[in-house]
Amino acid sequence: MRSRTARVTLSTIAERTGLSKFAVSRSLSGKDGVSEETRRRVQQAATELGYERAVVEVETPVLGVVFHDTDLINSELHLLIQSGFQAEALRSGYQVRMCWSHLASEIVDFARGCRGIALVGPHLKQTMQSIRDLGMPVARIGWMDPLDPFDIVAGTDHEAGSAVANYLLDLGHKTIAYVHGTPGYRGRVERFYGVREVLEKRPDVSFREMTFQAERRFSEHLLAVQKDGFHPTAFFCAHDGMALTVVSELLRQGYRIPEDVSVIGFGDYSAATQISPHLTTVKVHGREMGAGLVRLLDDRNNERIPPDVPIRMLFTGRLVVRASTGIAKVPCRIPSQDA
């Protein structure tokens, strides 16, 4: 049995009930955001432990951010998100704790010491619901199902695809490929939809999606579509890493960039300016997205947003034109192996 002389804090009650300090605080103060059952459990535990409301805890609140530990392809984006999250949290008066996991049980345990949780990557909807059940706000960078009742921060992938398509049309390109690489990433699919939405209105334009399981097989896929009579003058790649593969392989085969063929990436990460020619790409605002997560969680904590109104916060990408794109010429073909 706990001694009556020991100090009983919100953390003590949270430990007893298995809830977060945020849920305990709101239950004891009578604020919204927790169920009546949660409020009853907290009040009962507080009574049993001898909690005295006169004791005031002065403690900097904590926001947690959980990165999906198997999403390695977006590692540079995650670093940008982390930087923005930390800077905005400090400005708003929060401490930051970080976790790398995809296991719901680990994430829920981590969340218990926080005032809000941000999830980055392909986390399950059930994980978000488990955090919400603790009585604390949760927001995410990642894709959800339509009308899911959670707060989401995202980029404008579909718009970016449409913008790239219009840019290539303005340069005169009429044979365009979207290099998708490994399938299954929702953002890549949305970029494809954006490109297709524009190009399907142009009967004079040939457009194909190049999808394959391993990025190192781009050269094989290119040869296959060219033998089928499809000779792209422009490649829009689903991310900058893919664009580097495409540029390297085209240069190895003897193509000139952008004289023979144009290449566009997505992300504007460090590699975009570490190759020659420098890569035209779409900038993703990772730092601003990380800061947006903090603002959403802080708004929820301070009840600036109605609890039954989910929020979508979008950060619009920007086309960054560099030397890897140019005016279309004749369709590029496989250089002669005898040349």
Side-chain angles (χ1 to χ4, degrees), residues 191-210:
R191 287 162 224 157
F192 166 70
Y193 290 160
V195 175
R196 186 181 66 181
E197 181 178 86
V198 172
L199 298 185
E200 67 184 3
K201 300 174 184 177
R202 293 285 302 267
D204 59 326
V205 173
S206 297
F207 173 58
R208 286 196 187 184
E209 179 186 18
M210 297 175 65

Side-chain angles (χ1 to χ4, degrees), residues 1-17 24 41-52:
M1 180 179 296
R2 182 180 294 273
S3 171
R4 286 286 179 173
T5 61
R7 182 183 176 209
V8 179
T9 67
L10 296 181
S11 295
T12 309
I13 301 172
E15 182 180 352
R16 166 69 72 88
T17 59
V24 170
R41 285 174 55 198
V42 169
Q43 290 173 344
Q44 180 178 343
T47 300
E48 293 174 353
L49 292 168
Y51 176 74
E52 297 181 11

Side-chain angles (χ1 to χ4, degrees), residues 191-327:
R191 287 162 224 157
F192 166 70
Y193 290 160
V195 175
R196 186 181 66 181
E197 181 178 86
V198 172
L199 298 185
E200 67 184 3
K201 300 174 184 177
R202 293 285 302 267
D204 59 326
V205 173
S206 297
F207 173 58
R208 286 196 187 184
E209 179 186 18
M210 297 175 65
T211 304
F212 41 93
Q213 291 294 332
E215 291 170 13
R216 67 178 181 273
R217 294 177 52 200
F218 167 74
S219 58
E220 300 172 25
H221 198 76
L222 177 61
L223 289 172
V225 298
Q226 288 177 325
K227 288 178 180 179
D228 194 35
F230 182 70
H231 300 276
T233 63
F235 295 88
F236 175 32
C237 303
H239 59 87
D240 286 351
M242 174 72 69
L244 264 62
T245 299
V246 171
V247 167
S248 297
E249 183 58 31
L250 290 173
L251 292 175
R252 188 187 69 80
Q253 292 190 16
Y255 293 104
R256 299 171 301 162
I257 301 173
E259 292 83 0
D260 298 324
V261 61
S262 292
V263 180
I264 299 180
F266 186 90
D268 196 26
Y269 302 127
S270 56
T273 55
Q274 294 173 357
I275 62 170
S276 181
H278 287 184
L279 186 65
T280 295
T281 186
V282 177
K283 183 174 182 60
V284 175
H285 300 287
R287 288 189 180 88
E288 291 74 13
M289 292 167 72
L293 286 171
V294 174
R295 290 195 291 272
L296 273 178
L297 294 174
D298 185 54
D299 283 345
R300 290 297 183 192
N301 280 330
N302 290 283
E303 301 180 331
R304 301 187 190 103
I305 306 171
D308 60 341
V309 179
I311 299 298
R312 303 289 189 263
M313 182 183 291
L314 299 180
F315 288 86
T316 306
R318 175 168 56 86
L319 184 63
V320 181
V321 177
R322 298 193 179 102
S324 68
T325 50
I327 296 174

